[in-house]
Structures are given as structure tokens and as C-alpha cells.
């Protein structure tokens, strides 16, 4: 019987770290019972995100060689990332301002979550080695309410439909789990505090620079969420 009980998307961002912590704690999962998957898809901030993912993985004692997969989807998402300001091959600047601003729409990478989810479901089903689990293996995405406005593949309608597709395509051996779906960013930080998430290891900024900019929509939303909880974000920002 496979010992893998959950397969996580681990981007190195705040949401994926909190989703990992919440799931491991509430489902009582050991590090050897999970697989973390970090996707490379040709974004401007890839190197910084990947470093953060590595630190979060280490913090949770998930084994590097056996339980952390780094999967390159840049070829599959090449067309999509070219039309997004997030894409490394797109010269457009990362927009600054509030996350819900219309300008943030330029950061959408078409089909990204659908692609991620397909790969996660495949990894989860493959981990079973043809055996049928007593409880479906969870594929875990950190999608949340704050993303719903701009990103259609983060909305509850998508999550419901995609969850059904995952169940059907794996004969109910794998299920989708989105513990942050009804939370906004402030609630995610609150959950992260409660579950002792190492915020200092996470990376949220969309820009290609070591220190987070504090001005892009992603940074602004993160800073507002920490302020709403009355605590200071432990990461360093430009100018600090
Ligand atoms: Zn930023």
C-alpha cells in the first residue's frame, strides 16, 4: 500500500506554505507521507520562488530527492507565459498597485492552475502504484478568495469542477483539497500564525529581484494581510 497521502503544489509563496502546514497538521501527515511539487513555468520571479520553496521544504523535513519534485512546465506553458507580464520572455513590467486592480490582469497565465492540477493528479495517482487507497490521495492547491476576482482558475466554480474531474479521471483514488478556498489573505496569514508557518522563508513578490519590491499587487496584498493581523512581515523589502 502506498504511503503517500497528499501531493502539494509548493511554489514557495505564502499561500502554498500555509496550505501545506494546515493540511499536514489537521490531517496528521508525516513528511514521508507527502510529495511536494514545485513547478517551473518560465516566470520572472522563478529563481526566487524556487529558493523559497526549497527553504519551506527543508523546514517541514520533506526529503529532497524522494519527496520533492521540481517539474519544468515551461515548454507546455510557453505560449501562455508569453502573453502574461509574469512571463520571463514578456518584456512588460510587473504592474504595481492593488491586487484587485484591473492592471493585475496582465499577470494571469492562461490555464496555469488547470495544468498544475493535471500534473499533481497524475503524480498522486502514480504514487499509488496501481493500488486502491482507503482514503483518496489529496492533491492540495492553495487557491483562496483573494484570487477569485482576477484569476478564473482560482474560483470556487473552477475548484468544484476540477475536483470532480480529478475524482473521475482517477476512479476516485485522488481528490482535490483546497483548505484556503474561503479565506482572504488576512485570514491566511492568521492561519499561518496559528499553524506556525515560517513566513520568513516564503516569497510573494512577482519581480525578478532578491528583495521583495513592496509595490506590486502581490506584495501589497501580503503587506496588508500582515498589517490586518497586527504583525510585521519578517521578510526584507526593497529599501530596508
Ligand atoms: Zn513585489
Amino acid at each position: 500500500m502506498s504511503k503517500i497521502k497528499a501531493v502539494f503544489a509548493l511554489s514557495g509563496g505564502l499561500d502554498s506554505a500555509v496550505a501545506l502546514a494546515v493540511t499536514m497538521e489537521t490531517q496528521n501527515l508525516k513528511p514521508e507521507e507527502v510529495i511536494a511539487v514545485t513547478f517551473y513555468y518560465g516566470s520572472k520571479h522563478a529563481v526566487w520562488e524556487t529558493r523559497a520553496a526549497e527553504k519551506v521544504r527543508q523546514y517541514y523535513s520533506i526529503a529532497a530527492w524522494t519527496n520533492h519534485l521540481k517539474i519544468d512546465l515551461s515548454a507546455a506553458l510557453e505560449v501562455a507565459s508569453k502573453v502574461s507580464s509574469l512571463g520571463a520572455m514578456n518584456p512588460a513590467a510587473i504592474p504595481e498597485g492593488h491586487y484587485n486592480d484591473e492592471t493585475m490582469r496582465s499577470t494571469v497565465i492562461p490555464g496555469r492552475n488547470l495544468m498544475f492540477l493535471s500534473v499533481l493528479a497524475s503524480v498522486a495517482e502514480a504514487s499509488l502504484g496501481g493500488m486502491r487507497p482507503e482514503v483518496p490521495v489529496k492533491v492540495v492547491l492553495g487557491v483562496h478568495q483573494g484570487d477569485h476576482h482576477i484569476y478564473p482558475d482560482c474560483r470556487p466554480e473552477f475548484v468544484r469542477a476540477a475536483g470532480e474531474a480529478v475524482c473521475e479521471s482517477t476512479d476516485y483514488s485522488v481528490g482535490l483539497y483546497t483548505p484556503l478556498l474561503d479565506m482572504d489573505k488576512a485570514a491566511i496569514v492568521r492561519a499561518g500564525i496559528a499553524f506556525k508557518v515560517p513566513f520568513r522563508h516564503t516569497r510573494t513578490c512577482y519581480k525578478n529581484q532578491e528583495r521583495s519590491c513592496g509595490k506590486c499587487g502581490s506584495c501589497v496584498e501580503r503587506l496588508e494581510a500582515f498589517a490586518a493581523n497586527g504583525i510585521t512581515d519578517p521578510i526584507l523589502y526593497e529599501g530596508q
Side-chain angles (χ1 to χ4, degrees), residues 3-239:
K3 61 181 181 178
I4 297 301
K5 295 182 177 167
V7 176
F8 294 91
L10 182 67
S11 68
L14 183 67
D15 308 330
S16 74
V18 174
L20 177 90
V22 169
T23 308
M24 286 187 72
E25 181 101 9
T26 60
Q27 308 295 312
N28 204 17
L29 301 179
K30 300 184 189 85
E32 62 270 25
E33 292 174 330
V34 310
I35 293 175
V37 181
T38 300
F39 293 110
Y40 174 74
Y41 54 95
S43 70
K44 289 185 170 83
H45 63 317
V47 61
W48 312 109
E49 259 204 339
T50 309
R51 279 186 198 182
E54 193 61 35
K55 288 180 189 161
V56 174
R57 175 198 67 72
Q58 278 175 7
Y59 182 87
Y60 286 102
S61 306
I62 297 168
W65 298 107
T66 50
N67 296 63
H68 186 205
L69 305 179
K70 292 170 186 166
I71 297 182
D72 187 347
L73 289 179
S74 56
L77 284 168
E78 184 179 343
V79 175
S81 60
K82 274 181 183 162
V83 301
S84 170
S85 62
L86 214 55
M89 286 188 290
N90 186 325
I94 298 291
E96 296 183 348
H98 199 272
Y99 201 65
N100 280 345
D101 287 350
E102 288 301 303
T103 52
M104 287 303 288
R105 284 190 191 280
S106 77
T107 64
V108 173
I109 294 188
R112 183 176 53 174
N113 273 354
L114 189 57
M115 187 79 77
F116 285 2
L117 189 56
S118 301
V119 176
L120 294 170
S122 166
V123 169
E125 189 178 0
S127 77
L128 292 166
M131 305 289 279
R132 197 163 180 85
E134 283 170 28
V135 177
V137 179
K138 292 177 174 59
V139 289
V140 185
L141 279 183
V143 293
H144 62 89
Q145 203 185 68
D147 283 336
H148 298 173
H149 178 67
I150 293 174
Y151 301 101
D153 57 356
C154 294
R155 291 177 191 152
E157 294 82 355
F158 167 78
V159 169
R160 244 190 323 272
E164 277 177 35
V166 167
C167 287
E168 292 294 344
S169 70
T170 61
D171 201 13
Y172 287 77
S173 292
V174 180
L176 175 58
Y177 190 58
T178 54
L180 314 183
L181 189 63
D182 297 325
M183 297 186 194
D184 61 14
K185 203 74 167 185
I188 292 169
V189 169
R190 201 174 314 129
I193 296 166
F195 286 90
K196 298 184 172 56
V197 168
F199 292 126
R200 65 188 181 282
H201 292 326
T202 63
R203 164 81 184 193
T204 297
C205 185
Y206 280 160
K207 291 191 186 176
N208 181 13
Q209 55 188 56
E210 186 161 10
R211 287 203 179 182
S212 294
C213 75
K215 297 173 205 151
C216 71
S218 205
C219 278
V220 169
E221 190 196 33
R222 175 176 172 131
L223 286 164
E224 285 179 355
F226 276 88
N229 282 281
I231 63 166
T232 305
D233 188 351
I235 66 166
L236 285 175
Y237 285 88
E238 209 176 294

